[in-house]
Amino acid sequence: MSGLNMELSSGIAAFEAKEFSRAMQLLTPLAERGDPQAQYRVAVMAQVGLGVVKNCATAVKWMRAAAEQGFALAQHGLGFMYFQGECTKADPAEAARWFRLAADQGLAGSQAMLATMYEKGVGVERDPAEAAKWAALAEKGSDAQPTS
């Protein structure tokens, strides 16, 4: 295991063990080097105020950085920020865009959110068929990929 992988797994282990100040210490340098797993976890800690003072600017910066690299959990997290208006201005259309990217990668939570958004016409045109498609994928569980 290379030094970076070792640092990442130590940082993730600290995060999982809820040792947030240690996780922040280990993961921040990796986030700065561009690691999406580190960026995502640093964003979550900043968003909620775990091991650090809650910091919305930091949360959005790292969540977006990881999301733009295609990290599905971060795409979902960013979608949720836009959906709830948490740490950023509420923007349902932007939320739908990020949920869609994560849903396309098989993330059941994002598929379920998209289903609801299509059902209610929030951030997207109301589309019962599209809602049903995403709901069915979400029910199949994670990693179900859309066929169309």
Side-chain angles (χ1 to χ4, degrees), residues 31-43:
E32 283 161 1
R33 282 189 218 126
D35 185 283
Q37 291 190 63
Q39 291 168 339
Y40 170 70
R41 286 173 177 82
V42 168

Side-chain angles (χ1 to χ4, degrees), residues 4 7-9 11-12 15 23-24 26-46 58 62-63 65-66 69 71 74:
L4 282 182
E7 284 172 54
L8 182 63
S9 34
I12 290 172
F15 180 88
M24 192 58 109
L26 290 165
L27 294 173
T28 300
L30 297 173
E32 283 161 1
R33 282 189 218 126
D35 185 283
Q37 291 190 63
Q39 291 168 339
Y40 170 70
R41 286 173 177 82
V42 168
V44 168
M45 290 185 283
T58 301
W62 290 124
M63 196 68 81
Q69 289 191 68
F71 193 63

Side-chain angles (χ1 to χ4, degrees), residues 53-133:
V53 176
K54 179 176 166 144
N55 183 325
C56 276
T58 301
V60 172
K61 171 184 143 181
W62 290 124
M63 196 68 81
R64 177 178 301 283
E68 284 172 350
Q69 289 191 68
F71 193 63
L73 288 171
Q75 291 169 338
H76 180 81
L78 192 59
F80 215 78
M81 285 175 162
Y82 280 114
F83 186 76
Q84 299 282 42
E86 184 176 335
C87 279
T88 186
K89 195 163 78 55
D91 183 338
E94 191 65 3
R97 186 171 85 82
W98 289 107
F99 284 138
R100 178 65 185 256
L101 289 167
D104 282 340
Q105 292 193 62
L107 206 63
S110 293
Q111 292 167 342
M113 287 300 297
L114 265 186
T116 301
M117 292 174 88
Y118 276 112
E119 191 185 315
K120 296 181 174 161
V122 176
V124 289
E125 281 293 312
R126 210 171 157 274
D127 185 335
E130 197 69 5
K133 174 185 107 173

